[in-house]
Amino acid sequence: MIEDLTIELPIDGTLDLHTFRPGEVKDLVPDYLAACRERGIYSVRIVHGKGTGTLRRTVHAILERLDVVASFRLAGEDAGGWGATLVELKQISVQQ
C-alpha cells in the first residue's frame, strides 16, 4: 500500500523542483507562491533545471495564468541562468 505523504517545504523564496514529479508541479507552484505571499515574500526563485526545457515551459505556462504574478523572467547566471525563473509577486493590498 502506498500512502500519500505530505512533505513540508521551507517557505523561504526558493522552490527547487528537482525532487518533485512533473505531475506535481501544476499544484505545487501556485500553492508555494500563495504561501510566500502570506509570509510577505514577493520575490521568488523557482529552480526547474536546464534539461530539455519542458519543465521550464510548464512553469512559465503556470505563471502566465496566475493573477498573483506581477512578472517573471529567467534568472541571471548568478542565480541559476536559464535553469531558474525569478518571479515577482503582486503585493497583498491591505484594506482599511
Side-chain angles (χ1 to χ4, degrees), residues 36-71:
C36 284
R37 285 181 81 220
E38 289 171 5
R39 288 164 178 77
I41 300 170
Y42 298 102
S43 295
V44 179
R45 183 169 72 112
I46 300 175
V47 180
H48 40 67
K50 294 180 179 175
T52 63
T54 301
L55 188 53
R56 179 187 72 241
R57 288 189 296 275
T58 298
V59 168
H60 288 189
I62 293 166
L63 296 174
E64 287 172 351
R65 291 191 303 266
L66 294 175
D67 291 337
V68 299
V69 174
S71 66

Side-chain angles (χ1 to χ4, degrees), residues 16-51:
D16 188 342
L17 298 177
H18 284 104
T19 58
F20 296 94
R21 294 186 308 267
E24 296 172 311
V25 172
K26 186 179 86 169
D27 294 325
L28 177 63
V29 170
D31 291 349
Y32 186 83
L33 295 178
C36 284
R37 285 181 81 220
E38 289 171 5
R39 288 164 178 77
I41 300 170
Y42 298 102
S43 295
V44 179
R45 183 169 72 112
I46 300 175
V47 180
H48 40 67
K50 294 180 179 175

Side-chain angles (χ1 to χ4, degrees), residues 4-5 63 92-93:
D4 188 22
L5 298 176
L63 296 174
I92 296 175
S93 60

Side-chain angles (χ1 to χ4, degrees), residues 7-16 20 32 35-36 39 41:
I7 298 171
E8 280 295 319
L9 287 176
I11 308 299
D12 59 4
T14 298
L15 175 60
D16 188 342
F20 296 94
Y32 186 83
C36 284
R39 288 164 178 77
I41 300 170

